[in-house]
């Protein structure tokens, strides 16, 4: 999916005022000059299912990647 996003970005001419939305999973390994993180509310990050399954560490790692 990340490769598709990068290829689409190369194909499209985007001006300096464009906005790109992606998930934390898709943004791993990329860097941007400005980042706005939304959905940081309880039960969204970490997701309720991850808390119930005891997989909070992966969600925490993704949050640090975004930050």
């Amino acid at each position: 999916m990340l490769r598709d996003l990068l290829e689409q970005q190369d194909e499209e001419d985007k001006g300096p005022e464009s906005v790109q939305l992606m998930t934390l999973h898709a943004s791993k390994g990329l860097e941007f000059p400005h980042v706005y993180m939304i959905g940081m509310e309880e039960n969204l990050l970490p997701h309720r299912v991850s808390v119930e399954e005891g997989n909070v560490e992966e969600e925490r790692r993704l949050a640090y990647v975004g930050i």
Side-chain angles (χ1 to χ4, degrees):
M1 178 166 178
L2 180 59
R3 173 174 267 168
D4 292 338
L5 288 171
L6 293 174
E7 288 173 356
Q8 287 175 2
Q9 186 176 5
D10 289 339
E11 292 174 2
E12 299 173 2
D13 261 345
K14 294 185 176 173
E17 296 181 14
S18 65
V19 175
Q20 184 174 358
L21 300 176
M22 65 176 53
T23 64
L24 284 173
H25 289 87
S27 67
K28 287 192 293 189
L30 301 176
E31 293 186 15
F32 299 95
H34 304 284
V35 176
Y36 296 93
M37 294 179 61
I38 58 173
M40 297 290 288
E41 296 89 16
E42 189 173 350
N43 291 328
L44 288 179
L45 192 67
H47 193 268
R48 176 182 43 86
V49 174
S50 295
V51 172
E52 291 172 358
E53 293 177 354
N55 193 18
V56 178
E57 291 301 318
E58 176 66 16
E59 298 281 319
R60 181 178 292 137
R61 189 180 66 76
L62 279 173
Y64 281 117
V65 166
I67 293 169

